[in-house]
C-alpha cells in the first residue's frame, strides 16, 4: 500500500477575512520604456513594502482593541509597470469574475472595501479611474502628484505621503536659506516629474530664484550633453525630481562623466534609497547632497514578523497562483536583506493599512465588547470616515538628530563658557535671590531688587510679602489689654494708698513717692501701644521715649527709697551732717528731678543726632520684608547710662540694708524686682538673636510690659496684702517694736 503525503503552502498574496483590502505593489520594477509581453522579474525593489502590508494586517488581526471579533483579509498584486499591468486592479473591482457596468445599480459590489497603492503617480493615474467609478477608497503610499488633490476627478483617492507641492515648498526653503538663485531642475519624463516642474516654476515666479536649466529624463537621455549645458551655464545647484530607478541611471552617468563639486537636492522619491546612497559614496568629489524625505520610522514587531515568515513555507510555484502578477520569485532574499532594504515609504504603507482599519472601527462602532455585526459596510462609507480621521501612530518615535557641544541648560541655570567656542559651556544653577532670563543674558544670574525674592533656579523674581504686627493681631490685642490692666491696677493702688495714706505701710513704701512711681509706671506703658501697626518715624520714637524717660524716674525713686532706708538706720548715726542736709533740702525730690531732667537731655541728644527711623529687614527671611525700627545702638547708649547706673546703685544699697527690720526692708523687694527686670531682658536678648520675624515687635513690647509688672506686682502687692488682710501689722506700735528690737540687736 502506498501512502501519499501532500504538502500545502499558503500564498503571500492572499489572506481570507471578513473585509478585504486590495494591495498594489511594484515588487518587480519594469521600465516602461521597453515593451514586455508579460511582467518580468527584474528585481525585488518594493518587496519590503509588500511585506509591511502583510505585517500590518496580521498585527491588526492579532489585536483585540482595534477590530475585535472582525478579521481583515488582503488580495495583493505585483503592479510592476505604469500602464499595462491591469489584471490586478480589474480583479479587485470584479464580482465573480465580472465587471459591473457603471449604469447598473450597485447591488453586488466587490468584497474589497479599500485599496492600498499604488507607489508612483503614473501608476495611480492609470488605475485610479477603475476604483473611482465605484468610490472604492484608494490610499496611495507614494503617489505625490498634485493632480490627485482634485476631488472632482479623484473623489476616493487619498494618500499617506506629502504631496509634491509640500516637497517643492521645502526645496524652495532650502534655496532661500542658502541664497541659491541659479539652479537646474532635472525631472523624470512622466506625470510626476512634469507636475514637479510646474509646481517649482509657479513657486519661484516673482522671486529672485532663476531656473537656469531644466530637462526631462528617460531611458534615452544623453547625460553627457545635459551636464555639458549645466557646466556651460555655471550652475552649481541641481534639483533632481525623479524616482529611484531614474536617479540610479543618472548617478552612473555622473560617475562616468566625472561631475564634481555640485549641490544636489533630492526629492523624497530617492533621498533615502540605500542603493543610490551607496552609489553616491562611491563617487569622488560629488559635492553636497541635501534631501527631502518622509520620516524613517522603526516599526515595532516588523523584524520578528520577517524572521517568522522566512521560517514558514510559501507558494513560489507559478502553477499554484491564480494570476501571473502574484508570483514573487524573492525567496532568495534573507530576513536581514528584507529588513535592511530601502526603507523609503515604509511607514506610509503601515499608515495606509491602519487608516483603513480605524475607519472600519468607526463604521462598525467597535468597542470593548466587539464590533456590531449587523452593519453593512460600503466603500463610500469608508471614504467619509477616512476624510474625517485624525490618526497618530508612534507618538514618541520621530527623533531629530542632535549635534551640540553642550546640552542646553535647564531654565534657571546660567551658562558658563569654557574654551573658545560659545557653544561649549557648563550649566550653573542661579542661587536664591537671583534669576536667569535666557532672552536677556543666558550667561548671568541677575540679582533681584530689595523688594523681591526668588528661589534657587528661578527665571523671574516675585514680590516679597511685607509683614508687621497690626493692631488686630491676637498678640497685639493681648499685650494692649495687659497695658490697660496695668494702668487700672496702678489707679486702684493709688486709691488704696490714698485712703491709707497716714498708715506706717504706705509711709514705709515711700509715702507720696508711691503715687509718682505708680504714675510713671502707667506713663511707661504708653510705649507698648506703638509697637503695633505699620512703623513710622513717630511710632519708632514713641516706642522708646515714654519707657526710657518715665521708667528711669521709677528707678530713681527706688534708688532714693533704698538710700533713705540705709540712711535712717546706718548713715544718720555715722554721718549726721549728710542726713541733716538730705532732710533739709528734700534730697529725694532733688535727686529725682535731676534724674528726670538729665535723662530728658540724653534722649533729646540721642534723637537729634541719631533719631530712630522705620526700616525694612530683608535678610531674615528671603521671601518677606519685616518692617521695624532702626536704632543707632551706639548713640542710644547715652540714654541707657542712667537706668544702668540706677540699677547698680539699687543693688549696692540693697546689700548695705540686708539686715534691716523686715517691715522696713524695702531694699530686698527692690532687689527682687531688679532681678526679674534683668531676667526679662536677658530672655528678650536671647530671643532677638534667634528670631527676627514680625513677632519681634510684640516680643519687645512684652518685655517692656513685663518690666513694668515686675515692680508693680512685687513691690506694691505685698504692701496691699498687709493693708487689706493684715491690718494688725499696719500700726505704729507694731513698727516701733520692730525698730526697738533692731536697735537692741545692733547695741549688743
Amino acid at each position: 500500500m502506498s501512502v501519499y503525503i501532500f504538502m500545502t503552502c499558503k500564498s503571500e498574496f492572499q489572506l481570507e477575512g471578513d473585509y478585504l483590502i486590495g494591495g498594489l505593489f511594484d515588487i518587480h520594477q519594469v521600465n516602461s520604456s521597453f515593451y514586455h509581453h508579460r511582467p518580468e522579474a527584474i528585481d525585488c525593489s518594493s518587496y519590503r513594502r509588500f511585506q509591511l502590508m502583510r505585517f500590518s494586517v496580521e498585527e491588526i488581526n492579532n489585536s483585540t482593541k482595534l477590530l475585535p471579533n472582525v478579521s481583515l483579509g488582503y488580495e495583493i498584486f505585483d503592479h510592476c509597470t505604469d500602464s499595462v499591468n491591469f489584471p490586478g486592479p480589474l480583479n479587485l473591482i470584479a464580482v465573480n469574475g465580472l465587471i459591473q457596468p457603471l449604469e447598473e445599480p450597485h447591488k453586488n459590489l466587490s468584497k474589497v472595501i479599500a485599496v492600498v497603492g499604488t507607489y508612483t503617480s503614473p501608476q495611480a493615474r492609470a488605475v485610479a479611474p477603475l476604483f473611482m467609478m465605484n468610490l472604492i477608497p484608494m490610499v496611495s503610499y507614494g503617489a505625490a502628484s498634485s493632480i490627485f488633490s482634485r476631488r472632482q476627478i479623484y473623489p476616493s483617492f487619498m494618500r499617506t505621503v506629502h504631496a509634491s507641492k509640500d516637497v517643492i515648498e521645502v526645496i524652495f526653503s532650502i534655496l532661500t536659506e542658502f541664497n541659491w538663485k541659479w539652479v537646474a531642475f532635472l525631472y523624470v519624463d512622466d506625470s510626476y516629474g512634469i507636475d514637479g516642474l510646474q509646481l517649482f516654476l509657479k513657486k519661484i515666479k516673482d522671486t529672485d530664484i532663476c531656473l537656469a536649466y531644466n530637462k526631462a529624463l528617460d531611458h534615452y537621455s544623453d547625460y553627457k550633453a545635459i551636464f555639458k549645458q549645466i557646466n556651460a551655464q555655471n550652475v552649481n545647484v541641481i534639483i533632481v525630481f525623479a524616482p529611484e530607478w531614474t536617479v540610479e541611471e543618472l548617478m552612473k552617468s555622473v560617475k562616468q562623466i566625472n561631475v564634481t563639486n555640485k549641490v544636489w537636492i533630492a526629492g523624497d522619491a530617492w533621498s533615502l534609497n540605500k542603493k543610490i546612497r551607496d552609489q553616491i559614496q562611491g563617487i569622488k568629489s560629488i559635492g553636497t547632497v541635501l534631501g527631502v524625505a518622509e520620516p524613517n520610522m522603526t516599526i515595532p514587531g516588523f523584524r520578528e514578523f520577517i524572521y517568522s515568515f522566512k521560517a514558514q513555507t510559501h507558494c513560489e510555484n507559478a502553477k499554484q497562483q491564480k494570476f501571473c502578477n502574484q508570483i514573487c520569485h524573492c525567496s532568495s532574499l534573507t530576513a536581514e536583506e528584507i529588513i535592511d532594504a530601502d526603507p523609503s515609504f515604509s511607514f506610509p504603507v503601515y499608515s495606509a493599512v491602519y487608516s483603513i482599519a480605524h475607519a472600519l472601527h468607526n463604521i462598525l462602532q467597535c468597542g470593548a465588547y466587539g464590533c456590531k455585526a449587523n452593519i453593512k459596510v460600503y466603500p463610500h462609507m469608508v471614504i467619509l470616515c477616512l476624510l474625517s480621521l485624525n490618526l497618530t501612530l508612534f507618538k514618541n518615535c520621530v527623533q531629530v538628530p542632535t549635534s551640540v557641544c553642550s546640552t542646553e541648560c535647564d531654565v534657571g541655570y546660567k551658562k558658563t563658557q569654557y574654551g573658545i567656542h560659545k557653544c561649549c559651556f557648563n550649566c550653573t544653577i542661579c542661587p536664591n535671590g537671583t534669576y536667569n532670563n535666557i532672552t536677556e543674558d543666558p550667561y548671568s544670574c541677575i540679582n533681584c531688587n530689595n523688594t523681591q525674592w526668588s528661589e534657587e533656579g528661578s527665571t523671574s523674581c516675585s514680590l516679597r510679602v511685607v509683614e508687621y504686627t497690626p493692631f488686630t493681631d491676637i498678640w497685639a490685642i493681648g499685650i494692649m489689654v495687659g497695658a490697660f490692666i496695668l494702668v487700672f491696677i496702678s489707679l486702684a493702688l493709688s486709691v488704696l494708698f490714698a485712703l491709707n495714706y497716714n498708715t506706717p505701710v504706705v509711709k514705709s513704701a515711700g509715702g507720696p513717692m508711691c503715687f509718682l512711681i505708680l504714675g510713671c509706671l502707667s506713663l511707661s506703658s504708653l510705649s507698648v501701644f506703638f509697637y503695633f501697626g505699620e512703623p513710622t518715624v513717630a511710632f519708632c520714637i514713641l516706642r522708646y521715649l515714654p519707657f526710657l524717660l518715665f521708667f528711669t524716674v521709677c528707678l530713681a525713686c527706688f534708688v532714693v527709697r533704698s538710700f533713705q532706708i540705709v540712711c535712717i538706720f546706718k548713715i544718720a548715726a555715722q554721718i549726721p551732717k549728710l542726713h541733716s542736709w538730705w532732710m533739709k533740702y528734700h534730697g529725694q525730690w532733688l535727686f529725682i528731678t535731676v534724674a528726670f531732667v538729665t535723662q530728658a537731655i540724653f534722649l533729646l541728644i540721642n534723637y537729634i543726632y541719631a533719631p530712630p527711623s522705620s526700616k525694612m529687614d530683608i535678610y531674615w527671611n528671603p521671601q518677606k520684608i519685616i518692617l521695624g525700627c532702626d536704632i543707632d545702638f551706639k548713640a542710644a547708649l547715652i540714654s541707657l547710662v542712667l537706668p544702668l547706673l540706677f540699677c547698680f546703685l539699687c543693688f549696692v544699697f540693697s546689700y548695705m540694708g540686708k539686715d534691716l527690720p523686715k517691715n522696713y526692708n524695702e531694699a530686698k523687694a527692690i532687689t527682687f524686682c531688679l532681678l526679674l527686670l534683668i531676667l526679662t531682658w536677658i530672655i528678650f536678648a536671647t530671643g532677638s538673636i534667634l528670631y527676627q520675624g514680625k513677632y519681634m515687635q510684640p516680643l519687645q513690647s512684652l518685655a517692656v510690659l513685663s518690666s513694668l509688672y515686675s515692680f508693680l506686682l512685687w513691690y506694691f502687692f505685698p504692701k496691699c496684702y498687709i493693708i487689706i488682710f493684715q491690718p494688725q501689722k499696719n500700726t505704729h506700735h507694731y513698727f516701733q517694736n520692730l525698730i526697738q528690737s533692731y536697735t537692741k540687736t545692733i547695741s549688743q
Side-chain angles (χ1 to χ4, degrees):
M1 183 178 67
S2 300
V3 178
Y4 296 93
I5 299 176
F6 296 93
M7 295 186 66
T8 60
C9 61
K10 62 179 182 179
S11 171
E12 298 175 62
F13 291 85
Q14 297 160 343
L15 180 69
E16 293 295 326
D18 298 325
Y19 298 94
L20 207 62
I21 300 177
L24 298 174
F25 292 84
D26 51 343
I27 300 174
H28 303 98
Q29 176 59 38
V30 178
N31 195 307
S32 60
S33 301
F34 297 98
Y35 176 75
H36 300 274
H37 293 286
R38 58 174 291 172
E40 295 180 357
I42 307 301
D43 61 17
C44 296
S45 60
S46 189
Y47 189 60
R48 188 179 195 271
R49 292 191 283 267
F50 162 72
Q51 291 295 346
L52 258 169
M53 177 170 174
R54 296 183 62 247
F55 164 73
S56 303
V57 171
E58 293 195 20
E59 186 179 57
I60 292 168
N61 286 339
N62 291 332
S63 171
T64 58
K65 294 182 179 180
L66 188 55
L67 292 173
N69 74 335
V70 172
S71 63
L72 288 181
Y74 53 75
E75 184 83 17
I76 305 176
F77 293 91
D78 183 1
H79 197 85
C80 52
T81 65
D82 293 349
S83 56
V84 299
N85 207 0
F86 280 93
L90 291 174
N91 180 68
L92 292 175
I93 64 172
V95 180
N96 298 325
L98 298 175
I99 304 295
Q100 183 178 355
L102 185 62
E103 61 272 9
E104 291 187 10
H106 296 180
K107 294 182 179 179
N108 298 314
L109 295 177
S110 167
K111 198 177 181 182
V112 175
I113 60 168
V115 176
V116 175
T118 59
Y119 175 46
T120 68
S121 294
Q123 291 172 349
R125 289 194 70 177
V127 302
L130 298 175
F131 300 109
M132 300 301 110
M133 66 179 184
N134 283 340
L135 294 178
I136 296 175
M138 182 179 178
V139 185
S140 175
Y141 53 87
S145 292
S146 58
I147 191 173
F148 298 115
S149 299
R150 300 179 184 177
R151 190 60 61 192
Q152 66 274 22
I153 302 176
Y154 300 98
S156 62
F157 182 89
M158 298 165 202
R159 52 189 160 202
T160 54
V161 291
H162 289 289
S164 295
K165 180 182 178 182
D166 299 328
V167 178
I168 294 297
E169 287 279 354
V170 178
I171 292 174
F172 177 78
S173 299
I174 294 173
L175 297 178
T176 54
E177 176 68 23
F178 295 103
N179 200 28
W180 292 329
K181 300 180 180 179
W182 189 241
V183 300
F185 194 97
L186 303 181
Y187 59 98
V188 65
D189 191 13
D190 61 16
S191 58
Y192 168 72
I194 295 170
D195 180 60
L197 175 64
Q198 292 173 347
L199 290 169
F200 183 72
L201 290 171
K202 183 179 179 181
K203 186 64 183 177
I204 65 174
K205 186 181 179 181
D206 301 327
T207 69
D208 294 335
I209 299 174
C210 297
L211 182 59
Y213 179 80
N214 69 86
K215 183 67 176 178
L217 305 179
D218 56 26
H219 186 71
Y220 303 102
S221 294
D222 184 354
Y223 290 105
K224 187 174 182 179
I226 291 173
F227 284 106
K228 184 177 180 180
Q229 293 185 51
I230 289 175
N231 289 327
Q233 297 193 57
N234 196 28
V235 178
N236 292 321
V237 178
I238 304 172
I239 302 167
V240 182
F241 204 81
E244 62 266 31
W245 50 85
T246 303
V247 179
E248 287 174 16
E249 294 295 325
L250 172 66
M251 289 303 165
K252 288 180 184 177
S253 301
V254 167
K255 185 174 183 180
Q256 293 171 359
I257 302 169
N258 194 27
V259 179
T260 60
N261 298 323
K262 301 292 184 184
V263 175
W264 305 84
I265 300 179
D268 60 343
W270 66 275
S271 59
L272 294 179
N273 188 274
K274 290 189 174 183
K275 188 174 181 180
I276 297 174
R277 183 189 64 188
D278 295 338
Q279 280 184 298
I280 292 172
Q281 290 175 347
I283 302 175
K284 187 177 181 181
S285 302
I286 187 174
T288 302
V289 181
L290 302 176
V292 181
E294 294 288 332
N296 184 14
M297 309 285 284
T298 300
I299 299 175
F302 179 62
R303 172 182 289 270
E304 292 76 11
F305 170 81
I306 293 298
Y307 276 107
S308 175
F309 156 73
K310 292 301 291 184
Q312 300 173 9
T313 303
H314 296 272
C315 298
E316 287 284 347
N317 190 345
K319 294 181 181 179
Q320 293 177 301
Q321 303 291 349
K322 294 181 181 179
F323 300 95
C324 62
N325 54 353
Q326 288 187 322
I327 305 171
C328 188
H329 293 302
C330 296
S331 60
S332 61
L333 292 176
T334 65
E336 287 298 329
E337 287 175 326
I338 298 172
I339 293 168
D340 294 335
D342 177 24
S344 302
F345 301 97
S346 295
F347 185 67
V349 173
Y350 186 82
S351 301
V353 177
Y354 264 87
S355 297
I356 296 168
H358 275 272
L360 195 59
H361 172 92
N362 294 337
I363 294 170
L364 297 176
Q365 302 175 21
C366 298
Y369 301 101
C371 303
K372 292 185 178 179
N374 59 346
I375 298 177
K376 179 69 174 176
V377 180
Y378 293 97
H380 73 272
M381 298 165 66
V382 180
I383 295 173
L384 293 175
C385 283
L386 285 172
L387 289 173
S388 61
L389 192 64
N390 185 9
L391 178 63
T392 301
L393 299 173
F394 306 150
K395 292 182 179 179
N396 300 320
C397 297
V398 182
Q399 291 290 344
V400 179
T402 59
S403 179
V404 295
C405 176
S406 300
T407 305
E408 197 65 29
C409 295
D410 293 334
V411 293
Y413 285 72
K414 73 171 182 176
K415 297 178 180 178
T416 304
Q417 182 178 327
Y418 62 86
I420 60 173
H421 300 289
K422 67 178 181 180
C423 295
C424 302
F425 49 82
N426 293 319
C427 297
T428 306
I429 192 168
C430 288
N432 293 334
T434 67
Y435 70 97
N436 175 264
N437 189 328
I438 192 170
T439 58
E440 291 182 16
D441 183 5
Y443 296 92
S444 299
C445 293
I446 305 169
N447 291 322
C448 299
N449 62 39
N450 290 341
T451 61
Q452 296 176 324
W453 72 279
S454 69
E455 292 181 341
E456 187 179 61
S458 296
T459 57
S460 62
C461 294
S462 303
L463 287 175
R464 291 187 176 195
V465 177
V466 178
E467 286 193 344
Y468 57 88
T469 307
F471 284 100
T472 55
D473 186 88
I474 185 67
W475 283 95
I477 293 172
I479 292 171
M480 288 189 292
V481 168
F484 280 118
I485 292 174
L486 182 138
V487 173
F488 175 78
I489 293 175
S490 298
L491 182 62
L493 288 177
S494 298
V495 172
L496 180 65
F497 279 28
L499 294 175
N500 297 274
Y501 183 75
N502 293 319
T503 62
V505 170
V506 174
K507 289 183 178 180
S508 67
M513 197 176 293
C514 292
F515 301 104
L516 177 61
I517 295 173
L518 291 172
C520 286
L521 289 176
S522 298
L523 291 174
S524 296
S525 67
L526 291 175
S527 294
V528 169
F529 297 93
F530 297 99
Y531 282 92
F532 311 112
E534 184 175 354
T536 61
V537 174
F539 268 48
C540 289
I541 292 174
L542 293 174
R543 281 185 183 184
Y544 304 104
L545 179 61
F547 178 71
L548 289 175
L549 182 60
F550 295 110
F551 194 69
T552 300
V553 174
C554 288
L555 291 176
C557 291
F558 288 118
V559 169
V560 168
R561 288 298 303 138
S562 301
F563 175 76
Q564 282 182 324
I565 295 170
V566 173
C567 181
I568 292 171
F569 287 95
K570 292 189 175 183
I571 300 178
Q574 299 174 8
I575 313 176
K577 290 185 178 180
L578 176 61
H579 179 262
S580 175
W581 181 90
W582 181 266
M583 297 302 294
K584 180 179 180 181
Y585 295 102
H586 303 285
Q588 67 272 29
W589 298 113
L590 182 63
F591 180 83
I592 293 171
T593 303
V594 170
F596 173 77
V597 173
T598 304
Q599 181 68 351
I601 293 173
F602 285 167
L603 288 171
L604 184 62
I605 294 172
N606 180 17
Y607 290 152
I608 289 175
Y609 289 99
S613 61
S614 59
K615 72 167 184 177
M616 296 189 299
D617 186 350
I618 61 175
Y619 302 106
W620 172 251
N621 191 320
Q623 301 179 18
K624 299 177 180 179
I625 296 176
I626 309 299
L627 297 184
C629 292
D630 189 22
I631 304 296
D632 186 341
F633 288 101
K634 290 183 179 180
L637 285 176
I638 191 174
S639 59
L640 296 177
V641 170
L642 287 183
L644 294 175
L645 176 62
F646 291 162
C647 288
F648 174 75
L649 291 176
C650 284
F651 277 117
V652 171
F653 293 137
S654 297
Y655 180 78
M656 293 174 64
K658 63 181 184 298
D659 55 348
L660 294 179
K662 187 171 72 169
N663 279 31
Y664 278 93
N665 201 350
E666 306 296 333
K668 291 182 180 179
I670 294 172
T671 301
F672 186 72
C673 294
L674 289 173
L675 290 175
L676 289 179
L677 175 68
I678 294 171
L679 180 62
T680 296
W681 288 100
I682 288 176
I683 294 173
F684 168 74
T686 304
S688 64
I689 293 172
L690 300 176
Y691 175 76
Q692 290 291 330
K694 74 171 185 177
Y695 288 108
M696 193 66 229
Q697 314 306 322
L699 184 62
Q700 188 172 1
S701 66
L702 188 61
V704 170
L705 195 61
S706 177
S707 301
L708 302 178
Y709 267 106
S710 64
F711 284 96
L712 181 69
L713 298 179
W714 301 108
Y715 183 79
F716 288 102
F717 267 38
K719 295 161 179 56
C720 295
Y721 181 80
I722 293 174
I723 293 172
I724 298 173
F725 299 105
Q726 294 181 335
Q728 70 277 8
K729 294 182 180 181
N730 190 17
T731 62
H732 292 284
H733 178 71
Y734 181 79
F735 272 74
Q736 287 295 331
N737 289 337
L738 287 176
I739 295 172
Q740 290 175 3
S741 176
Y742 174 75
T743 304
K744 290 178 181 179
T745 303
I746 292 298
S747 62
Q748 292 175 357

